[in-house]
Amino acid sequence: MQGINKFLERIGRSVGGVVGALYQAGREAIDQVIVNILPFMAFIALVIGIILKTGIGDWIANLLAPMAGSLVGLIIISLICAIPVLSPLLGPGAVIAQVVGTLLGSTLIANGSIPPSYALPALFAINPQVGCDFIPVGLALGEAEPETVEIGVPAILFSRLITGPVAVILAFIASIGLYA
């Protein structure tokens, strides 16, 4: 009888430990959502509202669209989209990506003004800002030290300024003969 009681006690403690760990994980997950993700979502909603209401995103996109017809123009678009001050603001609404992507695909490539081989490089040209708006939140979710955030955010933003044009060139090389 004593052996059965010890066995049941061990099972009860084990199950209690697992349930306690899962309960604590759930509490921490809810805490992370409330502390980090919901304020970020509110901020992004505000930024998207400002970008859409002021029309600055459409203005920039329409300004950049004529450059989409050449490799040099796509590299310039990539550099503009990756400017460290602009990229966190352009990322949430993806306004440039939407307008230039639609203009390229449904208008310029469809009517033959631009060869289809520019579709892949254009994708990389209009998207170097992707993820730049989430960097501070990602670092906060990873519980990064403030010094890491101070160094990490600018480092990633400036790295996108370098890797964006490189991605356009690599995509252009990869698309050679793709639509022959």
Side-chain angles (χ1 to χ4, degrees):
M1 196 63 151
Q2 189 71 306
I4 293 175
N5 284 342
K6 284 184 179 182
F7 176 72
L8 291 175
E9 183 182 337
R10 285 184 187 161
I11 289 178
R13 286 185 185 176
S14 298
V15 170
V18 170
V19 169
L22 293 175
Y23 178 73
Q24 185 61 31
R27 290 181 70 185
E28 290 177 11
I30 296 295
D31 185 52
Q32 285 288 341
V33 168
I34 291 170
V35 170
N36 293 316
I37 295 176
L38 290 178
F40 175 72
M41 291 173 66
F43 168 72
I44 293 305
L46 174 72
V47 170
I48 290 172
I50 291 170
I51 289 171
L52 294 177
K53 192 65 178 172
T54 62
I56 191 165
D58 290 332
W59 179 77
I60 292 172
N62 290 324
L63 183 72
L64 297 179
M67 289 189 264
S70 70
L71 178 60
V72 174
L74 291 173
I75 291 172
I76 292 170
I77 290 172
S78 173
L79 286 169
I80 291 170
C81 290
I83 292 173
V85 175
L86 280 180
S87 57
L89 299 175
L90 297 175
V95 178
I96 289 179
Q98 291 175 23
V99 174
V100 175
T102 303
L103 181 68
L104 276 172
S106 64
T107 308
L108 300 175
I109 292 175
N111 71 13
S113 300
I114 295 176
S117 60
Y118 281 117
L120 186 60
L123 175 67
F124 285 94
I126 61 178
N127 284 320
Q129 81 280 358
V130 171
C132 290
D133 54 333
F134 192 74
I135 294 165
V137 174
L139 290 172
L141 288 174
E143 297 177 358
E145 298 291 327
E147 296 83 19
T148 304
V149 176
E150 288 175 15
I151 294 170
V153 172
I156 293 171
L157 292 177
F158 279 105
S159 73
R160 297 301 293 229
L161 192 60
I162 296 167
T163 60
V166 171
V168 172
I169 293 168
L170 291 175
F172 181 76
I173 292 169
S175 68
I176 292 175
L178 191 63
Y179 298 100

